[in-house]
Amino acid sequence: MSHGLISTELYYKIFATLMALTTLTVIAAFIDMGALNDIIAMGIACTKALLVILFFMHVRYNSPVTWIFVSAGFVMLLIMLMLGMNDYVSRSWDAPPSPWTAPPSAAPASH
Amino acid sequence: MNAPGTVKERNFINADYGIKSWLLTLDHKRIAILYLLSTTFFFVVGGAAAVLFRLELLTPASDLLQADTYNKMFTIHGVAMVFFFLIPTIPAVLGNFLIPLMIGARDLAMPRLNLASWYVFNLGGLLALMGIAGGGVDTGWTFYTPYSTTYANSQVILTALGAFVSGFASIMTGLNFIVTIHTMRAPGLKWFRLPLFVWAHYATSLIIVLGTPVVSITIVLVALERLFHIGIFDPALGGDPVLFQHLFWFYSHPAVYIMILPAMGVVSELITCFARKRIFGYKFIVASSMGIAILGFLVWGHHMFVSSQSIYAGLVFSVLTMLVAVPSAIKMLNWTATLYRGSISYQTPMLYAFGFLGLFTIGGMTGIFLGNLGLDLHLHDTYFVVAHFHYVMVGGMVMAYLGGLHFWWPKITGRLYPEGWAKLSAIIIFVGFNFTFLPQFVLGYMGMPRRYASYPDEFQMLNIFSTAGASILGFGYLFPMIYLTWSLFRGKKAGPNPFDAKGLEWTVPSPPPTFNFTETPVVTEEAYDYPI
């Protein structure tokens, strides 16, 4: 049975799309596309998440307040990624500290 | 028993009888009472652990407790206090009881979810207690990797699962508050007429809903690595242990604001009532609550200055940390301005509010020290940090909670507490608290590291001071438990508004009837319409 504005047919279509994208994720995992590997995997994952949020969670048909709260979640995610990557990206800017070595033993004081 | 010929007034307490009527209740006020009992229990558990390790620290040697038992004691203390007392208490007890009353609603928007949250909270608590009973956990409440995932032989999974499950209770409560405040305000109660207590809980709920899922997932990742060796945090498996700290503190620093923002809401109510004066800068206090909620998410890296986080990231987090002091300072200055030329009365809730102002200021100012990239190198993981966060969490949150509990106790129970005993307790707590934690600032500055059962002899005198203070503090906390319980049976009956306070909650009988208002109230005036 459909839920309010969304027809059962649309639910099935979204479900089929999600399954297709899952299959695509698996296929993509077996093909080495170099630097595009992560981008494609994340792109598919984001598309799937978007479909779930918009249709299965009914956000598309909800009030602007709901949109604001959903957006806030994404803003938080962006903050976490940006400030987190702030650490990972800049870790290599300094040369690693040289390994610790024992200080030379103190020479006897000469008088 | 009623006098012959009189009819007992129906309220939420006597509306129904029997354990079942409480365990299946959907009344927000009864659920608040259930939360009061649960959180007090965990306060006692955490406090008992503190008694043991403070006794251990009387002497430099590890004699009363061996090092591993000591580690378990401070972990129990941290887990019980942070996850099961400090985070949930003000929202789940005072917020649950008061928000519908303050906004003129019959209940929260989702009463079943509210009851479910209490059960989920207790399930989480039960799991943590099972972890303690099953041998305890020694990672500290922070569950830092790689110790928690690879090396610890204690009950990490059960305890972490307890924290994970209790997080869902927080989310349920936060969600309920947001929906209730958006949809169930009485006619005329515009956003800028809301009591600051409600605004503070709104800001807190945003942090809870947006932040808690992150720590929940992080705990799941710890479990996955520990149980199935999936490489997330262990470098040998391709992971990064510092990633755990990023994810953990992304939530756990804002969690400090989950503890303190509701406390700030309570203090706003207390100060304006007992100064008989409109709050100074209402909109600035509202904006600072929301500012704290947002800025609180940007500063987590200041916990990681010495955790091999890049120095450049540390610099960014250090600057952002200084920013978050601004909204907190706005609140402090507004409260002080409210007191100025007010008609101040020194009743028990106000004593706690004054305690909050002093102690939270010290906690906040010492936070500036620790947010400073250079100074933190010296102070990190010393007793200075322990003293700092106790001034914020205990000096801030617990003082405000006790102030709020005394303020609304007549409303909740319909009974007055003995004012003399209550004032004495407030003073004992203030003295005991400072006696306990001021010496720890000095210990930390001198270099005593936290989380060790033994220490060099030169630190003993200050540790004796600290333990002696903790004993005073313990008695200070015991007294309210005794006289508040006594007041339930022997306290004088309270009228609807014993403090002559403003707000919709004071317009209904004490204790309030089950559905709060016989008629939906219409709000026609600003909040805090006091004479001055």
Side-chain angles (χ1 to χ4, degrees), chain B residues 206-218:
Chain B
L206 290 178
I207 304 176
I208 289 173
V209 170
L210 293 171
T212 312
V214 177
V215 80
S216 302
I217 293 296
T218 309

Side-chain angles (χ1 to χ4, degrees), chain A residues 2-52:
Chain A
S2 69
H3 230 311
L5 292 166
I6 304 176
S7 66
T8 311
E9 191 185 348
L10 185 59
Y11 274 132
Y12 282 127
K13 279 181 183 170
I14 300 294
F15 179 72
T17 312
L18 288 170
M19 288 298 108
L21 287 169
T22 304
T23 312
L24 200 61
T25 308
V26 176
I27 294 169
F30 286 98
I31 303 169
D32 187 4
M33 290 169 281
L36 289 176
N37 280 340
D38 289 345
I39 295 169
I40 288 176
M42 288 300 289
I44 296 171
C46 289
T47 310
K48 286 162 70 180
L50 198 64
L51 289 172
V52 170

Side-chain angles (χ1 to χ4, degrees), chain A residues 65 69-77 79-94, chain B residues 178 182 202 206 210 214 240 242-243 246-247 250 297-300 304 308-313 316-317 320:
Chain A
V65 176
F69 274 87
V70 172
S71 309
F74 282 98
V75 171
M76 286 298 129
L77 182 66
I79 289 171
M80 190 172 77
L81 291 175
M82 281 171 64
L83 283 174
M85 290 310 287
N86 173 36
D87 170 27
Y88 287 96
V89 169
S90 60
R91 272 190 206 176
S92 58
W93 289 0
D94 279 335
Chain B
I178 291 171
H182 268 276
Y202 184 74
L206 290 178
L210 293 171
V214 177
D240 174 22
V242 180
L243 176 63
H246 275 299
L247 297 175
F250 180 79
F297 275 107
L298 308 180
V299 301
W300 80 84
M304 302 164 57
S308 85
Q309 176 183 245
S310 123
I311 189 85
Y312 301 100
V316 171
F317 281 121
L320 290 169

Side-chain angles (χ1 to χ4, degrees), chain B residues 158-238:
Chain B
L158 264 180
T159 315
L161 195 61
F164 171 77
V165 171
S166 75
F168 284 94
S170 285
I171 295 171
M172 289 173 182
T173 302
L175 193 63
N176 223 340
F177 286 173
I178 291 171
V179 176
T180 304
I181 295 167
H182 268 276
T183 60
M184 296 179 69
R185 299 191 311 279
L189 189 55
K190 300 169 188 168
W191 280 94
F192 286 120
R193 283 181 175 173
L194 282 174
L196 290 165
F197 180 88
V198 177
W199 266 110
H201 276 77
Y202 184 74
T204 307
S205 301
L206 290 178
I207 304 176
I208 289 173
V209 170
L210 293 171
T212 312
V214 177
V215 80
S216 302
I217 293 296
T218 309
I219 290 171
V220 171
L221 293 176
V222 167
L224 288 176
E225 182 165 300
R226 194 173 163 89
L227 294 173
F228 305 112
H229 305 291
I230 296 170
I232 298 154
F233 305 120
D234 183 357
L237 299 170

